[in-house]
Amino acid sequence: MFRFAFLLFHATVSIDMAVCISATCNRAMKLYGVVPKTEGQMHYLRLLSAYNESLDFWLLTTVTNEEAHVLVPAEAENKFQRDLLNNHLEFFVKNPNISGCTESSRLERKAQYRSNESLDFTRRYLSYSDINKYIDYLGRKYADMVTITNVGKSYEGRTLKTVTIAKGQQSRQAILIDAGIHAREWIAPATALYVINRLVQHANENRDLLNNLTWIILPLVNPDGYEYSFKTNKFWRKTRQPYRRCKGTDGNRNFNFHWGEKGASKYECVNTFSGPRPFSEPETQAVRDLLVGKNDTVKFYLSLHSYGRMLLYPWGYKKDLPRKWRNMDAVARAGASAMQRSHRVDYRIGGAAKVLYEASGASDDYALAVARIPIAITMELPGDERGFHPSESKISAFIEEAFTGIRAMALKMMEIQV
């Protein structure tokens, strides 16, 4: 009966719906809080998140009695409410007036790049162009320790660049960090830039992170989606390669390890669309090549996402833990403890599918299982009442908090000699 009701819901909402929730900005939308009290209600929400093209789930964990956040367009609101009531789900409106349109002030605000050091990513979100200006500047000024490498191009032709940071000869032990595989998670590239800044322009303060350790950082995996989010519709999540009905693939469902299983959608217009095949996106191909090509030296892969203050490790495709999960748990706990001591914030720790949800085809699972990188962690950074786009006044605090955790995790990784 429950399954039948869901199928009717799906058929009603998504027939001929070629425009998904994040396809256009100028729609009337509300952000709902929904509280599942039972496993059945949780399962219902998971089905909605996987199959319903009109709904955008911002936050959904595996924990009953924990609030889920869902963005709902006006045309789907009545049906959404009725079905929640029919399934005895508690809900409320968190924000009655949400717009995906980028603020006019951001569109009008051009980056005033008066000097290479004046671009302050701690107080505002940078465009793709300005991110590249900053890292190219570091490559020129700090050529003795910074190497900028073009590792691929996005579907729309934007260059993907890594920043490799090493004191003297590159170490046989490395950390690989990526960010921005999901376009709308702006705090993730900002955090990656801050890590680069601390390691390069504040190297003396972080000598312990540079002794016998190389850092490889890809600050923006999905520049096409990021630019679209930045300039047109800030809730855009996927890449921008077009498919039959909608554009884009969820890059973090596109890796070739248990691809297309639980937590990944086969529907092109859903935000968790896994793509028509593994590695269909040039952006995920670039990450794959980094993971596999550097697996003789990379001991720790860290993928930056938002939001929710979590440190998650494989498996994402199932709730079981990998055989050597304790090392990853120890590294994650070192980061969480450091952030709690310094910033009085609490990060949830554990297997991704156990804490958050089952998500097949994710980069961290691929890093551990296929690339054989011993430590693979996803860091879910904080959000605020704006969800994926914390107010610019909070950027500095959030990225400092994250660096505290990343620093502690790196030191713990070296200590346990994985």
Side-chain angles (χ1 to χ4, degrees):
M1 181 66 180
F2 172 84
R3 176 66 175 170
F4 178 71
F6 168 75
L7 290 173
L8 285 178
F9 180 95
H10 177 225
T12 302
V13 174
S14 65
I15 288 176
D16 295 328
M17 182 177 286
V19 179
C20 62
I21 182 73
S22 51
T24 181
C25 79
N26 55 353
R27 305 169 80 186
M29 295 182 288
K30 293 179 182 177
L31 183 64
Y32 276 78
V34 183
V35 184
K37 301 287 187 180
T38 68
E39 290 298 325
Q41 291 177 341
M42 180 71 72
H43 180 61
Y44 177 73
L45 292 182
R46 298 228 169 277
L47 288 171
L48 288 185
S49 70
Y51 294 101
N52 195 288
E53 298 169 5
S54 66
L55 305 177
D56 185 2
F57 279 75
W58 287 10
L59 184 65
L60 180 60
T61 72
T62 60
V63 181
T64 55
N65 296 304
E66 189 161 276
E67 192 176 302
H69 299 165
V70 192
L71 189 65
V72 184
E75 63 270 23
E77 189 176 8
N78 288 339
K79 179 64 175 172
F80 176 70
Q81 288 191 4
R82 285 199 304 272
D83 278 82
L84 292 185
L85 288 170
N86 288 340
N87 284 281
H88 310 291
L89 275 152
E90 175 186 320
F91 64 89
F92 55 94
V93 176
K94 288 181 67 68
N95 189 328
N97 185 22
I98 294 277
S99 171
C101 296
T102 306
E103 295 89 341
S104 59
S105 60
R106 187 184 305 284
L107 290 173
E108 294 165 1
R109 185 202 310 155
K110 303 297 182 182
Q112 297 182 357
Y113 205 76
R114 295 190 175 91
S115 78
N116 286 318
E117 294 177 286
S118 69
L119 198 55
D120 189 356
F121 52 82
T122 68
R123 291 189 294 179
R124 64 186 183 88
Y125 297 106
L126 301 189
S127 68
Y128 162 77
S129 174
D130 287 337
I131 289 172
N132 279 344
K133 284 178 183 177
Y134 177 66
I135 64 178
D136 286 343
Y137 157 71
L138 295 180
R140 292 191 303 270
K141 182 167 183 179
Y142 300 92
D144 60 327
M145 66 180 300
V146 174
T147 303
I148 309 300
T149 306
N150 296 345
V151 295
K153 285 189 178 293
S154 67
Y155 173 77
E156 293 177 349
R158 294 180 175 88
T159 302
L160 308 181
K161 297 185 178 187
T162 57
V163 182
T164 301
I165 305 163
K167 274 285 193 181
Q169 188 176 3
Q170 289 191 20
S171 169
R172 292 290 297 171
Q173 187 168 234
I175 293 176
L176 173 60
I177 299 176
D178 68 26
I181 196 168
H182 289 150
R184 62 192 180 186
E185 297 171 8
W186 295 352
I187 197 67
T191 299
L193 292 179
Y194 189 70
V195 174
I196 294 168
N197 172 272
R198 294 293 101 182
L199 295 173
V200 176
Q201 295 182 281
H202 299 267
N204 287 337
E205 301 166 22
N206 295 290
R207 287 191 296 270
D208 51 349
L209 298 179
L210 295 165
N211 291 333
N212 302 314
L213 185 61
T214 296
W215 296 72
I216 305 165
I217 302 175
L218 175 56
L220 187 54
V221 175
N222 178 13
D224 297 349
Y226 181 81
E227 282 292 275
Y228 188 79
S229 170
F230 202 75
K231 295 178 179 178
T232 305
N233 178 8
K234 62 187 177 183
F235 297 132
W236 186 265
R237 168 183 167 103
K238 301 188 287 182
T239 60
R240 293 291 295 166
Q241 182 168 193
Y243 291 102
R244 186 174 60 89
R245 296 175 62 222
C246 290
K247 285 189 174 184
T249 288
D250 182 343
N252 208 36
R253 303 294 186 278
N254 193 233
F255 286 76
N256 194 16
F257 182 71
H258 289 272
W259 174 85
E261 296 179 3
K262 287 185 177 180
S265 179
K266 64 180 180 180
Y267 295 97
E268 296 165 351
C269 300
V270 173
N271 268 336
T272 54
F273 176 51
S274 60
R277 61 191 177 279
F279 297 121
S280 58
E281 311 306 292
E283 298 87 353
T284 58
Q285 294 169 27
V287 177
R288 172 201 63 195
D289 294 346
L290 278 172
L291 290 168
V292 174
K294 303 285 187 182
N295 67 351
D296 58 334
T297 57
V298 173
K299 305 302 179 186
F300 179 13
Y301 167 64
L302 179 66
S303 191
L304 302 177
H305 288 255
S306 77
Y307 62 96
R309 283 199 174 102
M310 302 176 199
L311 289 165
L312 310 172
Y313 46 80
W315 299 117
Y317 80 96
K318 64 177 181 178
K319 292 185 178 180
D320 296 341
L321 296 176
R323 185 168 57 88
K324 295 185 177 180
W325 66 272
R326 287 180 177 81
N327 281 342
M328 290 184 287
D329 189 75
V331 169
R333 290 188 184 284
S337 295
M339 289 184 285
Q340 210 289 323
R341 287 193 304 271
S342 297
H343 300 275
R344 298 292 184 265
V345 295
D346 294 317
Y347 273 67
R348 184 176 295 170
I349 301 163
K354 292 173 70 70
V355 172
L356 197 53
Y357 46 69
E358 290 170 319
S360 303
S363 67
D364 52 0
D365 279 11
Y366 182 86
L368 181 68
V370 181
R372 304 292 182 186
I373 294 170
I375 304 292
I377 292 174
T378 292
M379 187 175 195
E380 293 282 350
L381 299 158
D384 66 3
E385 66 280 355
R386 302 182 181 203
F388 297 103
H389 315 97
S391 61
E392 293 183 328
S393 63
K394 296 179 181 177
I395 294 175
S396 179
F398 285 174
I399 61 181
E400 288 173 11
E401 166 191 315
F403 180 70
T404 298
I406 293 168
R407 153 181 263 286
M409 286 191 286
L411 293 175
K412 185 65 175 180
M413 182 274 295
M414 289 190 286
E415 175 192 316
I416 63 179
Q417 297 181 340
V418 295

